[in-house]
Amino acid sequence: MPGHQFGEIGIELGLLKPHHVETALERQSALKEIWANSRLGEVLILMEALDGLQVEQILAEQQRRRGVEEPPAPAFPYYKDYLIVKKLGEGGMGEVFLAQEDKQLRQVVLKMLRKDKAESPAIAARFQLEAQIAGMMEHPNIVACHTTALAHGARFLVMEYIDGESLQERLERRGRLPESEVLHVAAEVLRGLAYIHDRGVIHRDIKPSNILIAHGGAVKISDFGSARMAHAEFHDFNTIVGTPNYMAPEQIRCKPTIDWRADLYSLGATLYHALSGRVPFVRTSNSEVLRAHVRDTPDALAGLTPEPQADTLRIIAKLMSKDPDARYVTARQALGEVEKALQKRRVVSAPVAIPSAPRSLTRRMVNRCTVALQSLLAAKG
C-alpha cells in the first residue's frame, strides 16, 4: 500500500495534518536504512502522531476503498521508541518481544502486561513490584531492567537482551551438560543469588528457562515476576508461587517463613536436571510432582550421569535438602563449595605432563644395561 494513500486517508478522517505525513515520509526513508518493512503507520506511531487504534482505523478505511473484505493487519509493532522485531514467548500475564530501540539502536526485550490482566489491581500491583525489584538490580549475573513504560494502553518493562539461549533451550538441544559446565553455571547463578539475597529479595522461580547463557559464556538470572521482598508482609497464603519441577517444599506448603534458601533448593533441582538430563521427579501430573518434592527422594544422580565427582553430588544433595536448615546458610557459602569442586574438576581433567628423561641419563642407563647383559652371557658361557 503506498504510504501517501495511507496519509491522505488519515488527513481526510481528520486524524492527521499534512505536515505529519510529510515528516513521516522523510523519516520512513531514513528508518528503512536501519529496519526492514518500516511502514508509514509505524513511523506515525513512533512520532506519537497516531496511536495503534487510529492506525487500524485508517487501514480499515483503506481496505474498504480497495474492496477488500478481510480485516486489516494487526496493530503496528511500534511501542513508544521501540520497534518489535519478533515474539520471544508468552505467559499467563503477558508476552515477551525482541525489539529495536530507536534512540540507541540497540536490541532490547519488552515484557508486556496483557491489557485484560492490567485491569486487575492485584496483577497490576504484581507487575509494578516486578518492575521495582528488577530496577534495583545491577549485577553481571542478572538481566538488567532499563526502564518501564506505558504506550497505547500497554504496560511493559524494557530489559537487557541476551544474545544466546536459556539453560532450558540448551538442555533441550543437548540433553544434559558435562559436569564442569554445570558447575560453571552453578557458580554464576550463585553469584547473582548472593547479590539478590543481600538486597532482601527472594526470586522464587529459579529454573532452567530463567537462566540465560550468552554466546560469550556469561550466565544471567532473569524474570522477577514471582519475586518478593523478604521483609514484606506475606500475602500468598494458599497460593503456590513458582514452577512445580523446581519448587522448594516450603514454597509448596505456602509457608510465610520462606526465605532465600528456597532459591537454593530450586537451583539444586535445576542442577540435577542439567547434570542428568531429566527433572528430579518424573510424575504424571503437577500435583504428584509437588507431592514428591515434599515427601520423596529423587533418584541417585550417580546412576544417571557418568562418573560424577562426589563433591558435586554432595553439593546438589545439600541444596535439595527438604529441611531449609539442612541447606547452605547462604548462596555465598554454597558458592565457596562450588568453586572448590570446580577447581578440583579442572585439576583432575588437566593433562598430566610426563617429563622426558635427559639424554645423558638415558645413555648411562643403556651402558649399564649393556654391561649387565655381557656379564650374564659370560657367566652362562
Side-chain angles (χ1 to χ4, degrees), residues 34 49 54 105 111 141 152 154 175 180 194 200 330 378:
I34 305 171
Q54 291 169 327
L105 301 182
K111 183 175 182 178
N141 295 117
H152 313 302
S180 58
T330 64

Side-chain angles (χ1 to χ4, degrees), residues 70-363:
E70 296 179 358
F76 286 98
Y78 260 123
Y79 288 86
K80 212 163 185 178
D81 295 329
Y82 307 95
L83 170 68
I84 291 178
V85 177
K86 66 178 180 179
K87 186 174 179 178
L88 297 176
E90 64 180 291
M93 291 176 59
E95 298 173 309
V96 180
F97 298 92
L98 173 64
Q100 187 91 22
E101 188 173 22
D102 178 45
K103 293 178 181 177
Q104 299 190 32
L105 301 182
R106 65 178 174 182
Q107 288 189 315
V108 295
V109 172
L110 303 187
K111 183 175 182 178
M112 295 193 174
L113 181 63
R114 282 171 40 190
K115 292 182 181 180
D116 60 327
K117 296 295 183 181
E119 295 173 358
S120 164
I123 293 178
R126 174 74 252 172
F127 192 78
Q128 185 61 36
L129 178 61
E130 177 183 0
Q132 176 188 344
I133 291 176
M136 291 168 49
M137 304 301 163
E138 187 176 352
H139 189 273
N141 295 117
I142 298 172
V143 173
C145 178
H146 298 311
T147 188
T148 60
L150 173 66
H152 313 302
R155 293 182 181 275
F156 58 94
L157 304 181
V158 183
M159 314 291 292
E160 174 188 11
Y161 171 62
I162 306 302
D163 186 13
E165 62 184 348
S166 70
L167 177 58
Q168 179 68 37
E169 291 169 328
R170 182 164 293 192
L171 290 172
E172 289 172 356
R173 183 166 55 84
R174 293 169 53 184
R176 60 178 181 80
L177 304 184
E179 186 175 355
S180 58
E181 189 172 344
V182 173
L183 289 170
H184 168 71
V185 170
E188 296 293 285
V189 172
L190 283 166
R191 289 188 182 95
L193 285 178
Y195 176 89
I196 292 170
H197 297 163
D198 284 348
R199 279 146 188 79
V201 174
I202 311 167
H203 188 280
R204 296 202 296 179
D205 201 19
I206 296 296
K207 59 183 178 180
S209 60
N210 283 341
I211 297 172
L212 306 184
I213 306 172
H215 287 313
V219 178
K220 294 178 180 272
I221 300 169
S222 69
D223 196 346
F224 286 82
S226 298
R228 66 180 289 257
M229 302 301 296
H231 64 268
E233 186 179 353
F234 188 77
H235 294 289
D236 293 328
F237 297 102
N238 301 318
T239 303
I240 296 178
V241 178
T243 302
N245 282 325
Y246 311 96
M247 285 176 64
E250 63 269 28
Q251 272 182 272
I252 296 167
R253 293 189 176 110
C254 303
K255 287 194 171 184
T257 55
I258 178 177
D259 59 23
W260 57 88
R261 292 172 295 181
D263 289 342
L264 299 184
Y265 182 96
S266 297
L267 176 60
T270 296
L271 300 178
Y272 182 106
H273 184 178
L275 196 60
S276 68
R278 46 162 274 192
V279 295
F281 300 105
V282 179
R283 301 292 189 269
T284 58
S285 67
N286 282 339
S287 61
E288 290 183 4
V289 170
L290 295 174
R291 197 175 298 115
H293 276 288
V294 173
R295 301 176 182 174
D296 300 344
T297 301
D299 292 337
L301 271 171
L304 300 175
T305 186
E307 300 181 3
Q309 274 191 114
D311 286 351
T312 302
L313 300 181
R314 179 177 53 78
I315 289 168
I316 295 176
K318 190 174 179 69
L319 288 169
M320 289 190 67
S321 296
K322 305 293 186 189
D323 181 0
D325 290 338
R327 296 174 208 152
Y328 294 99
V329 177
T330 64
R332 197 163 278 106
Q333 182 189 30
L335 174 60
E337 294 298 305
V338 169
E339 287 178 331
K340 289 177 186 176
L342 189 55
Q343 182 60 33
K344 186 182 294 186
R345 185 73 183 179
R346 287 171 180 156
V347 171
V348 170
S349 302
V352 179
I354 302 176
S356 57
R359 290 186 178 182
S360 58
L361 177 60
T362 302
R363 283 196 297 270

